[in-house]
Amino acid sequence: PAPGDPRWRLGAAFWYPNPRTSLVALRPLLLSRGAFDELLALYRTGLARRPDVLELYSDTAQLLIEHGRAQAALDLWTKDARSHVPQAVLENGTGLALTALGRFDEAEQHLLRASTLDRTNREYVVDACEPVGQPARLGRDGTAPSCSGMTVQSTGSGAS
């Protein structure tokens, strides 16, 4: 059914307490049917109804990137999410969207800022190293630059 179809009018039980669980369950079903636009409409509805569920921003951006809409993912982080998510999450999401767009130098700065803002989340270290290994960033000899300088900055948390 189309997003305007009454069958998509999901009750409050779908959206509360956390719509992410329902959307994650629907994702493979809808994508297997080629219903990307319907799934995206559900994610956008989820964001509109529950802007406090931070994971919806990451999930929506990941969905957009996976389907070749990295610019829309960047717009989500730079416009829609600004007032709803912590700065570290915002910087990380922006960096990942820029990486998908091939804008590695910009991405690196955002990812490093995310790792600096939240030293307890080691995923940011992995994300910060990702642009370094991209084919467009390989040196003349075919080797990737080292990301050890980036990880030193992010491993200062007491967590192990």
Side-chain angles (χ1 to χ4, degrees), residues 91-148:
E91 293 290 347
N92 191 59
T94 302
L96 293 175
L98 288 166
T99 298
L101 288 168
R103 294 164 52 184
F104 303 116
D105 290 333
E106 292 174 76
E108 199 171 336
Q109 295 308 308
H110 286 279
L111 294 169
L112 285 172
R113 214 172 0 250
S115 69
T116 301
L117 289 168
D118 183 357
R119 293 182 179 269
T120 61
N121 190 339
R122 295 195 184 268
E123 287 181 26
Y124 296 152
V125 176
V126 173
D127 292 342
C129 291
E130 188 174 307
V132 173
Q134 295 294 325
R137 298 281 302 257
L138 296 179
R140 291 180 196 190
D141 60 356
T143 60
S146 168
C147 82
S148 61

Side-chain angles (χ1 to χ4, degrees), residues 44-106:
R44 291 205 183 274
T45 301
L47 287 170
R49 288 187 179 203
R50 296 294 312 275
D52 58 312
V53 181
L54 302 180
E55 295 87 1
L56 285 177
Y57 292 96
S58 298
D59 291 352
T60 304
Q62 180 185 5
L63 179 69
L64 289 164
I65 289 170
E66 288 172 359
H67 288 85
R69 298 185 183 178
Q71 184 60 50
L74 181 60
D75 293 343
L76 174 74
W77 289 115
T78 57
K79 296 175 186 164
D80 303 338
R82 284 247 175 243
S83 61
H84 301 289
V85 299
Q87 189 67 27
V89 175
L90 184 67
E91 293 290 347
N92 191 59
T94 302
L96 293 175
L98 288 166
T99 298
L101 288 168
R103 294 164 52 184
F104 303 116
D105 290 333
E106 292 174 76

